[in-house]
mmCIF file of all heavy atoms in Angstrom:
data_model
loop_
_atom_site.group_PDB
_atom_site.id
_atom_site.type_symbol
_atom_site.label_atom_id
_atom_site.label_comp_id
_atom_site.label_asym_id
_atom_site.label_seq_id
_atom_site.Cartn_x
_atom_site.Cartn_y
_atom_site.Cartn_z
ATOM 1 N N ASP A 324 9.214 96.757 208.080
ATOM 2 C CA ASP A 324 10.459 97.532 208.001
ATOM 3 C C ASP A 324 11.238 97.237 206.725
ATOM 4 O O ASP A 324 12.241 97.895 206.440
ATOM 5 C CB ASP A 324 11.351 97.221 209.210
ATOM 6 C CG ASP A 324 10.704 97.658 210.518
ATOM 7 O OD1 ASP A 324 9.851 98.567 210.478
ATOM 8 O OD2 ASP A 324 11.042 97.072 211.577
ATOM 9 N N SER A 325 10.796 96.241 205.965
ATOM 10 C CA SER A 325 11.506 95.848 204.750
ATOM 11 C C SER A 325 11.347 96.898 203.651
ATOM 12 O O SER A 325 10.290 97.500 203.488
ATOM 13 C CB SER A 325 10.980 94.500 204.260
ATOM 14 O OG SER A 325 11.460 94.202 202.976
ATOM 15 N N LYS A 326 12.412 97.078 202.864
ATOM 16 C CA LYS A 326 12.389 98.045 201.759
ATOM 17 C C LYS A 326 11.997 97.392 200.435
ATOM 18 O O LYS A 326 11.622 98.096 199.494
ATOM 19 C CB LYS A 326 13.782 98.681 201.592
ATOM 20 C CG LYS A 326 14.263 99.469 202.796
ATOM 21 C CD LYS A 326 15.661 100.013 202.527
ATOM 22 C CE LYS A 326 16.197 100.765 203.737
ATOM 23 N NZ LYS A 326 17.591 101.249 203.498
ATOM 24 N N TYR A 327 12.088 96.086 200.352
ATOM 25 C CA TYR A 327 11.970 95.441 199.038
ATOM 26 C C TYR A 327 10.796 94.471 198.910
ATOM 27 O O TYR A 327 10.331 94.239 197.806
ATOM 28 C CB TYR A 327 13.280 94.703 198.713
ATOM 29 C CG TYR A 327 14.476 95.620 198.706
ATOM 30 C CD1 TYR A 327 15.380 95.617 199.765
ATOM 31 C CD2 TYR A 327 14.684 96.515 197.662
ATOM 32 C CE1 TYR A 327 16.471 96.474 199.770
ATOM 33 C CE2 TYR A 327 15.774 97.373 197.668
ATOM 34 C CZ TYR A 327 16.662 97.346 198.731
ATOM 35 O OH TYR A 327 17.737 98.196 198.743
ATOM 36 N N PHE A 328 10.328 93.886 200.012
ATOM 37 C CA PHE A 328 9.221 92.934 199.898
ATOM 38 C C PHE A 328 7.903 93.665 199.664
ATOM 39 O O PHE A 328 7.669 94.730 200.240
ATOM 40 C CB PHE A 328 9.131 92.055 201.149
ATOM 41 C CG PHE A 328 10.188 91.015 201.237
ATOM 42 C CD1 PHE A 328 11.304 91.190 202.041
ATOM 43 C CD2 PHE A 328 10.093 89.850 200.493
ATOM 44 C CE1 PHE A 328 12.299 90.230 202.110
ATOM 45 C CE2 PHE A 328 11.080 88.877 200.554
ATOM 46 C CZ PHE A 328 12.184 89.067 201.366
ATOM 47 N N PRO A 329 7.018 93.111 198.828
ATOM 48 C CA PRO A 329 5.752 93.773 198.509
ATOM 49 C C PRO A 329 4.859 93.936 199.750
ATOM 50 O O PRO A 329 4.908 93.132 200.687
ATOM 51 C CB PRO A 329 5.087 92.821 197.501
ATOM 52 C CG PRO A 329 6.187 91.948 197.001
ATOM 53 C CD PRO A 329 7.175 91.838 198.113
ATOM 54 N N ASN A 330 4.022 94.983 199.745
ATOM 55 C CA ASN A 330 3.131 95.255 200.871
ATOM 56 C C ASN A 330 2.118 94.127 201.076
ATOM 57 O O ASN A 330 1.744 93.819 202.213
ATOM 58 C CB ASN A 330 2.387 96.579 200.645
ATOM 59 C CG ASN A 330 3.321 97.770 200.745
ATOM 60 O OD1 ASN A 330 4.314 97.728 201.468
ATOM 61 N ND2 ASN A 330 3.015 98.831 200.014
ATOM 62 N N ALA A 331 1.656 93.524 199.973
ATOM 63 C CA ALA A 331 0.670 92.443 200.090
ATOM 64 C C ALA A 331 1.229 91.277 200.888
ATOM 65 O O ALA A 331 0.526 90.677 201.716
ATOM 66 C CB ALA A 331 0.242 91.980 198.701
ATOM 67 N N LEU A 332 2.504 90.940 200.667
ATOM 68 C CA LEU A 332 3.136 89.857 201.420
ATOM 69 C C LEU A 332 3.214 90.218 202.898
ATOM 70 O O LEU A 332 2.945 89.385 203.771
ATOM 71 C CB LEU A 332 4.538 89.595 200.854
ATOM 72 C CG LEU A 332 5.379 88.549 201.597
ATOM 73 C CD1 LEU A 332 4.713 87.183 201.536
ATOM 74 C CD2 LEU A 332 6.785 88.474 201.008
ATOM 75 N N THR A 333 3.595 91.457 203.194
ATOM 76 C CA THR A 333 3.696 91.918 204.579
ATOM 77 C C THR A 333 2.354 91.820 205.300
ATOM 78 O O THR A 333 2.259 91.291 206.412
ATOM 79 C CB THR A 333 4.200 93.371 204.612
ATOM 80 O OG1 THR A 333 5.485 93.447 203.979
ATOM 81 C CG2 THR A 333 4.312 93.872 206.041
ATOM 82 N N GLU A 334 1.296 92.326 204.654
ATOM 83 C CA GLU A 334 -0.027 92.325 205.287
ATOM 84 C C GLU A 334 -0.560 90.910 205.470
ATOM 85 O O GLU A 334 -1.235 90.612 206.456
ATOM 86 C CB GLU A 334 -1.002 93.156 204.455
ATOM 87 C CG GLU A 334 -0.642 94.635 204.385
ATOM 88 C CD GLU A 334 -0.423 95.256 205.761
ATOM 89 O OE1 GLU A 334 -1.230 94.971 206.673
ATOM 90 O OE2 GLU A 334 0.554 96.010 205.932
ATOM 91 N N MET A 335 -0.245 90.013 204.524
ATOM 92 C CA MET A 335 -0.682 88.621 204.670
ATOM 93 C C MET A 335 0.026 87.941 205.844
ATOM 94 O O MET A 335 -0.563 87.103 206.534
ATOM 95 C CB MET A 335 -0.431 87.849 203.380
ATOM 96 C CG MET A 335 -1.362 88.221 202.244
ATOM 97 S SD MET A 335 -3.084 87.847 202.586
ATOM 98 C CE MET A 335 -3.111 86.076 202.370
ATOM 99 N N CYS A 336 1.298 88.299 206.075
ATOM 100 C CA CYS A 336 2.017 87.771 207.239
ATOM 101 C C CYS A 336 1.370 88.254 208.536
ATOM 102 O O CYS A 336 1.241 87.490 209.507
ATOM 103 C CB CYS A 336 3.487 88.190 207.194
ATOM 104 S SG CYS A 336 4.466 87.349 205.937
ATOM 105 N N VAL A 337 0.967 89.527 208.560
ATOM 106 C CA VAL A 337 0.291 90.086 209.739
ATOM 107 C C VAL A 337 -1.011 89.329 210.001
ATOM 108 O O VAL A 337 -1.304 88.923 211.139
ATOM 109 C CB VAL A 337 0.014 91.592 209.541
ATOM 110 C CG1 VAL A 337 -0.842 92.128 210.682
ATOM 111 C CG2 VAL A 337 1.317 92.369 209.444
ATOM 112 N N ILE A 338 -1.800 89.129 208.942
ATOM 113 C CA ILE A 338 -3.075 88.431 209.076
ATOM 114 C C ILE A 338 -2.857 86.978 209.526
ATOM 115 O O ILE A 338 -3.573 86.455 210.391
ATOM 116 C CB ILE A 338 -3.850 88.465 207.742
ATOM 117 C CG1 ILE A 338 -4.256 89.897 207.410
ATOM 118 C CG2 ILE A 338 -5.066 87.560 207.787
ATOM 119 C CD1 ILE A 338 -4.804 90.074 206.017
ATOM 120 N N GLY A 339 -1.860 86.325 208.944
ATOM 121 C CA GLY A 339 -1.565 84.940 209.303
ATOM 122 C C GLY A 339 -1.200 84.793 210.763
ATOM 123 O O GLY A 339 -1.608 83.828 211.429
ATOM 124 N N GLU A 340 -0.422 85.749 211.291
ATOM 125 C CA GLU A 340 -0.048 85.700 212.705
ATOM 126 C C GLU A 340 -1.251 85.953 213.611
ATOM 127 O O GLU A 340 -1.416 85.303 214.646
ATOM 128 C CB GLU A 340 1.047 86.730 212.986
ATOM 129 C CG GLU A 340 2.426 86.299 212.510
ATOM 130 C CD GLU A 340 3.499 87.292 212.888
ATOM 131 O OE1 GLU A 340 3.337 88.489 212.595
ATOM 132 O OE2 GLU A 340 4.507 86.868 213.493
ATOM 133 N N GLU A 341 -2.074 86.914 213.220
ATOM 134 C CA GLU A 341 -3.237 87.251 214.049
ATOM 135 C C GLU A 341 -4.240 86.108 214.118
ATOM 136 O O GLU A 341 -4.880 85.902 215.138
ATOM 137 C CB GLU A 341 -3.911 88.513 213.506
ATOM 138 C CG GLU A 341 -3.068 89.779 213.702
ATOM 139 C CD GLU A 341 -3.712 91.001 213.081
ATOM 140 O OE1 GLU A 341 -4.716 90.839 212.355
ATOM 141 O OE2 GLU A 341 -3.213 92.115 213.329
ATOM 142 N N THR A 342 -4.379 85.357 213.017
ATOM 143 C CA THR A 342 -5.342 84.251 212.975
ATOM 144 C C THR A 342 -4.739 82.926 213.411
ATOM 145 O O THR A 342 -5.452 81.929 213.545
ATOM 146 C CB THR A 342 -5.903 84.095 211.551
ATOM 147 O OG1 THR A 342 -4.814 83.847 210.634
ATOM 148 C CG2 THR A 342 -6.648 85.349 211.120
ATOM 149 N N GLY A 343 -3.417 82.891 213.609
ATOM 150 C CA GLY A 343 -2.747 81.649 213.976
ATOM 151 C C GLY A 343 -2.595 80.681 212.820
ATOM 152 O O GLY A 343 -2.365 79.489 213.023
ATOM 153 N N GLU A 344 -2.723 81.187 211.597
ATOM 154 C CA GLU A 344 -2.625 80.347 210.387
ATOM 155 C C GLU A 344 -1.498 80.857 209.476
ATOM 156 O O GLU A 344 -1.680 80.981 208.267
ATOM 157 C CB GLU A 344 -3.950 80.359 209.625
ATOM 158 C CG GLU A 344 -5.122 79.790 210.388
ATOM 159 C CD GLU A 344 -5.019 78.281 210.551
ATOM 160 O OE1 GLU A 344 -4.291 77.659 209.757
ATOM 161 O OE2 GLU A 344 -5.653 77.727 211.462
ATOM 162 N N LEU A 345 -0.351 81.143 210.072
ATOM 163 C CA LEU A 345 0.746 81.728 209.299
ATOM 164 C C LEU A 345 1.213 80.800 208.189
ATOM 165 O O LEU A 345 1.441 81.225 207.050
ATOM 166 C CB LEU A 345 1.922 82.057 210.227
ATOM 167 C CG LEU A 345 3.154 82.684 209.555
ATOM 168 C CD1 LEU A 345 2.795 83.986 208.864
ATOM 169 C CD2 LEU A 345 4.275 82.909 210.587
ATOM 170 N N GLU A 346 1.333 79.519 208.492
ATOM 171 C CA GLU A 346 1.810 78.556 207.491
ATOM 172 C C GLU A 346 0.868 78.481 206.288
ATOM 173 O O GLU A 346 1.304 78.544 205.129
ATOM 174 C CB GLU A 346 1.940 77.181 208.142
ATOM 175 C CG GLU A 346 2.427 76.093 207.203
ATOM 176 C CD GLU A 346 2.350 74.732 207.843
ATOM 177 O OE1 GLU A 346 2.566 74.628 209.074
ATOM 178 O OE2 GLU A 346 2.044 73.756 207.121
ATOM 179 N N THR A 347 -0.439 78.376 206.561
ATOM 180 C CA THR A 347 -1.434 78.297 205.483
ATOM 181 C C THR A 347 -1.466 79.589 204.670
ATOM 182 O O THR A 347 -1.565 79.569 203.437
ATOM 183 C CB THR A 347 -2.834 78.016 206.065
ATOM 184 O OG1 THR A 347 -2.778 76.842 206.856
ATOM 185 C CG2 THR A 347 -3.851 77.838 204.954
ATOM 186 N N THR A 348 -1.375 80.721 205.371
ATOM 187 C CA THR A 348 -1.388 82.029 204.695
ATOM 188 C C THR A 348 -0.189 82.189 203.785
ATOM 189 O O THR A 348 -0.313 82.673 202.650
ATOM 190 C CB THR A 348 -1.411 83.164 205.740
ATOM 191 O OG1 THR A 348 -2.510 82.972 206.637
ATOM 192 C CG2 THR A 348 -1.555 84.520 205.064
ATOM 193 N N LEU A 349 0.982 81.774 204.274
ATOM 194 C CA LEU A 349 2.194 81.863 203.453
ATOM 195 C C LEU A 349 2.104 80.951 202.232
ATOM 196 O O LEU A 349 2.583 81.301 201.146
ATOM 197 C CB LEU A 349 3.418 81.505 204.290
ATOM 198 C CG LEU A 349 3.901 82.571 205.274
ATOM 199 C CD1 LEU A 349 4.974 82.011 206.197
ATOM 200 C CD2 LEU A 349 4.445 83.792 204.526
#
Side-chain angles (χ1 to χ4, degrees):
D324 296 336
S325 169
K326 298 178 182 178
Y327 301 104
F328 286 100
N330 290 330
L332 176 63
T333 301
E334 295 308 317
M335 288 297 284
C336 288
V337 173
I338 294 170
E340 283 184 308
E341 291 176 351
T342 59
E344 298 289 339
L345 180 59
E346 180 188 325
T347 305
T348 306
L349 284 171

